Amino acid sequence: MEVIITSNYEEICEKATRIIHQAWKRKNNLVLGLATGKTPLGVYKKIVELYENGEMDFSQVVAFTLDEYLGLEENHPQSFAYYMEKNFYQHTNIKEENIFRLEGKPENIKTHCQEYEEKIKNLGGIDIQILGIGRNGHIGFNEPSSSLASRTRVKTLTRETIGDNARFFKNREDVPRFCLTMGIGTVMDAKMIILLASGKNKSEAVFKSIEGPVTAMVPASVLQLHPQVKIIIDEEASSLLTRKEYYKWVYQNKEKVKDFLE
Ligand code: GLP
């Protein structure tokens, strides 16, 4: 687990974008797993800028959305399909056939989830999974107590998450109660995971995920078991970490300790 502490949100986005860009240079047909929410917005903006400047091309890139509200149409302004389209896909040359979405209204939920898993597998797995984190430590929509081995499936949202996400809807009552999400096991199969967190309201979840025990009550804590995770956070989100100076030292001296990190 590599913990990268930056001075602000802008720097989080710069660093995450750089990692994705470098990975794309090595593998043009990069398979991305993409989270929604406020946090990754700056990364998507910068990736689009790279495309506009001719520094990145998406003709071979494949993208999988991490989760979706159940019951929302694809063109609903709060659906994650709409979010990805508006904030990323429509501004690049990514091909429609390379975009995979969890549907808000699938004909058969179970089959749809199984097929999603198969598509990921058939395309060689996710190279880089981008994650945000909920205040309760959720990743995707894997709420506390989700099985650490879970696969893509339907989940019930906690009252806390419904409250947090109500800011995007007109009324709290409009927030869907159910969702589809890649499972924790699905996320853990990604070759590299980048988790982004910004602001004081994420500091407790960040602390528990990095320095707490691995527990289903804090889904992001399972990332401690993944061999290739980068946690990119700002000073505020890192404020409760007890080994902050150490993480900074390791990062700054990465070249010297590179052999131990890879
Ligand atoms: C939602 C999404 C998560 C996201 C989280 C945090 O619940 N399903 O994928 O990480 O919100 O969102 P934000 O970045 O807006 O704080």
Side-chain angles (χ1 to χ4, degrees):
M1 195 176 237
E2 185 179 13
V3 181
I4 305 172
I5 302 171
T6 68
S7 32
N8 52 43
Y9 175 69
E10 177 67 17
E11 218 188 304
I12 292 179
C13 299
E14 273 165 22
K15 294 213 184 302
T17 307
R18 203 183 130 73
I19 295 166
I20 298 166
H21 193 199
Q22 295 302 330
W24 173 80
K25 284 184 192 165
R26 289 190 298 269
K27 183 177 185 278
N28 285 180
N29 58 346
L30 205 60
V31 180
L32 295 170
L34 300 169
T36 56
K38 212 170 139 234
T39 318
L41 277 178
V43 178
Y44 301 152
K45 197 162 161 256
K46 286 191 187 299
I47 287 180
V48 168
E49 278 166 19
L50 286 176
Y51 170 71
E52 285 168 350
N53 297 338
E55 293 173 70
M56 202 167 167
D57 174 86
F58 288 82
S59 56
Q60 293 181 61
V61 171
V62 175
F64 284 89
T65 316
L66 177 63
D67 48 11
E68 183 59 278
Y69 288 115
L70 205 56
L72 298 192
E73 300 283 353
E74 201 173 299
N75 58 3
H76 187 289
Q78 295 314 328
S79 80
F80 293 163
Y82 184 88
Y83 167 108
M84 287 312 311
E85 195 59 40
K86 198 181 79 185
N87 296 303
F88 189 156
Y89 303 152
Q90 72 176 23
H91 307 291
T92 70
N93 64 337
I94 189 166
K95 291 185 179 142
E96 181 54 37
E97 70 245 39
N98 289 339
I99 299 174
F100 297 95
R101 312 168 171 93
L102 281 164
E103 290 169 22
K105 289 189 166 180
E107 239 175 68
N108 181 308
I109 293 178
K110 210 169 163 201
T111 314
H112 180 54
C113 292
Q114 275 167 359
E115 283 173 0
Y116 207 64
E117 288 280 338
E118 273 158 36
K119 274 176 207 153
I120 295 174
K121 212 166 140 197
N122 293 342
L123 284 159
I126 291 171
D127 292 306
I128 300 184
Q129 175 64 56
I130 304 292
L131 294 177
I133 185 168
R135 282 191 306 125
N136 59 9
H138 75 229
I139 47 177
F141 268 140
N142 294 286
E143 298 280 34
S145 84
S146 292
S147 157
L148 298 184
S150 50
R151 312 304 306 186
T152 304
R153 70 215 181 291
V154 67
K155 284 292 290 176
T156 311
L157 297 177
T158 59
R159 210 181 305 161
E160 194 178 9
T161 300
I162 291 171
D164 281 352
N165 290 1
R167 64 198 146 121
F168 300 115
F169 291 80
K170 222 163 148 197
N171 306 300
R172 192 190 156 99
E173 294 67 51
D174 298 337
V175 186
R177 268 40 183 170
F178 301 97
C179 63
L180 295 184
T181 181
M182 278 188 205
I184 299 181
T186 321
V187 168
M188 287 293 280
D189 282 348
K191 288 162 203 140
M192 181 194 278
I193 299 174
I194 303 177
L195 183 140
L196 316 168
S198 167
K200 224 176 178 74
N201 66 339
K202 297 291 172 75
S203 58
E204 199 183 335
V206 165
F207 164 69
K208 287 181 177 166
S209 305
I210 299 176
E211 295 185 351
V214 174
T215 166
M217 292 314 287
V218 184
S221 67
V222 75
L223 300 181
Q224 292 176 32
L225 302 174
H226 193 283
Q228 189 63 278
V229 177
K230 294 179 193 297
I231 311 269
I232 313 181
I233 51 183
D234 56 16
E235 283 289 345
E236 288 194 346
S238 72
S239 58
L240 297 178
L241 294 175
T242 64
R243 292 165 62 77
K244 208 166 143 174
E245 294 315 312
Y246 169 73
Y247 306 132
K248 284 188 181 173
W249 183 88
V250 171
Y251 186 64
Q252 280 155 10
N253 292 276
K254 209 176 155 189
E255 276 308 300
K256 288 184 211 159
V257 294
K258 192 162 93 224
D259 296 343
F260 301 104
L261 289 175
E262 314 258 87

